[in-house]
Structure formats: C-alpha cells, structure tokens
Amino acid sequence: MYGKVTMRDVFVYLLSGLAFLIALISADYNWCLSNRYLFASIFKGNTAVITFAILTVLYFAGHIIHSLDTVLYGVAKVVWKRKKSSKGMYFFYFIIAGHRVSGNINLRNKRSEFIEQTYNELELLSKSKHSEYFYIMNDLFKGLTLIALLFVGYTLKDFRIVACFIYLSLLLLFWYRARYYANSFIDTVESTRAALDRIGLQNIKDK
C-alpha cells in the first residue's frame, strides 16, 4: 500500500507541481531572468533546506491542481446527469471528461461499479500492475491538461499569441494522451479479468 502511495505522490502530485513551476517560469521568463541573482542568494548556504521547502510546495501545488480538476469534473457530472440527451451538453461532457477514466466509462456506456469492483478484485489477486500504471499516468496527464489550460488563459490575457498557441498545442496533446491512458486502463482491467476467467475455466476442465 505504501509503495503505491509513493508512486502516486511522485508521478502525480510532485510532477504536476513541477510542471506548473516550469510553465510559470516559461510564461514569465524575463521576470525570472531579471531576478536570478536574488534566487541564487536565497539558495546559497541553504540548499538542503530550500530544496526540501520547494519540493514540499510543489507537492501541495500538485494537490491543489488536482483538486481544481476534481471540481471541474464535478461540474461535468452535473451536466451529464441532467442534460446528457442534448448533443451540445454531450459534446461539453466529452471535452471536460473525455480524458478521464470515469468519463470514458460513461461515454462507453459501461457500469462504473463493475469496473471498480473488477479492479479491486485484480488488486487482491496482485494482477493490477498494468492497469494501475495506466491509471496513474492518466492522473498525471489530467493534471498537465489543466495546467496547460490555465496558462492558455494566462498568456491570452496578455495577448501573447505565440505562447498561447504553444500552451494550446500542449493542452491538446496532454488531453489526447490522458484519454489514451483512460481507455487503456478500462481495456486492461476488462481484458485481465477475462484472461483470469479463461485460465480458471481451463483449470477446471483440466481437472
């Protein structure tokens, strides 16, 4: 259990916080460059303490980013329950939730309870390694998608068209990759369960 928490901490929250910092530096590169000596003086003689503090801040920044992502999905769920018969609202849900595991379960008309139960069973059987990887990577790219979206708005506010185009391109790439991992998670859970069922049935026949 603790190993899994550590994987999520590093590959989801910490990397999301680091990605946000990199995006912030690239968006305000001139300001960071003009204050480079100030940053160097802060690090001087306090490298270990400052590094630990930065990692802590990045970790919690990752949590904040994914909390915002959860709030955004909450809005999409309300829309899905009330207006899923509307083509416009279906498209809205596809954009907001089409890169999420739960969103793809709905879009593919699958039962979320069945997928969750099956995944839990695979965990108990220690057969969830591949599906767990896809789930963690989906979480990471959901965070990157939201970060790109935030900086699309940030650069658009100042009419920095080139930077806005770059972040928009990253947004589309991250969204697509998150969607790939979401579908891969669902498919892997189902295929692993089916394979185990076939093996179990074959063992019964052999007996």
Side-chain angles (χ1 to χ4, degrees), residues 34-181:
S34 63
N35 289 278
R36 63 186 182 278
Y37 297 113
L38 173 63
F39 298 141
S41 65
I42 293 174
F43 269 95
K44 189 176 181 180
N46 301 292
T47 305
V49 175
I50 298 300
T51 300
F52 176 77
I54 289 177
L55 290 176
T56 303
V57 170
L58 292 180
Y59 174 74
F60 282 107
H63 273 282
I64 293 172
I65 290 166
H66 284 273
S67 295
L68 292 174
D69 182 70
T70 302
V71 171
L72 188 62
Y73 180 57
V75 175
K77 285 203 302 185
V78 172
V79 171
W80 178 258
K81 289 179 180 179
R82 296 182 178 179
K83 301 284 187 178
K84 62 182 178 181
S85 58
S86 167
K87 291 183 179 180
M89 290 303 176
Y90 183 92
F91 179 74
F92 172 79
Y93 184 83
F94 176 78
I95 296 299
I96 299 299
H99 63 311
R100 306 166 189 274
V101 171
S102 52
N104 276 279
I105 289 174
N106 289 331
L107 291 169
R108 293 169 62 172
N109 295 317
K110 295 181 179 291
R111 290 174 49 241
S112 59
E113 298 83 2
F114 174 76
I115 299 295
E116 292 172 4
Q117 180 181 344
T118 303
Y119 179 70
N120 291 335
E121 291 172 353
L122 294 178
E123 276 192 307
L124 292 174
L125 295 171
S126 299
K127 301 296 182 181
S128 62
K129 182 178 179 180
H130 290 92
S131 53
E132 181 185 13
Y133 167 79
F134 290 130
Y135 193 85
I136 290 175
M137 293 304 292
N138 172 256
D139 266 356
L140 172 60
F141 277 89
K142 283 191 303 182
L144 296 179
T145 300
L146 181 59
I147 291 169
L149 176 62
L150 292 174
F151 280 91
V152 165
Y154 181 74
T155 52
L156 187 62
K157 172 179 68 70
D158 297 327
F159 295 101
R160 288 184 282 171
I161 304 302
V162 175
C164 181
F165 177 77
I166 292 173
Y167 285 116
L168 181 60
S169 299
L170 290 173
L171 168 64
L172 296 175
L173 290 172
F174 292 152
W175 185 92
Y176 177 80
R177 196 61 178 170
R179 178 172 170 77
Y180 165 78
Y181 283 123

Side-chain angles (χ1 to χ4, degrees), residues 114 118 122 125 127 130 187-203:
F114 174 76
T118 303
L122 294 178
L125 295 171
K127 301 296 182 181
H130 290 92
D187 293 339
T188 303
V189 167
E190 292 182 328
S191 62
T192 303
R193 178 72 267 179
L196 290 174
D197 289 342
R198 286 195 298 272
I199 292 173
L201 181 60
Q202 185 62 47
N203 289 338

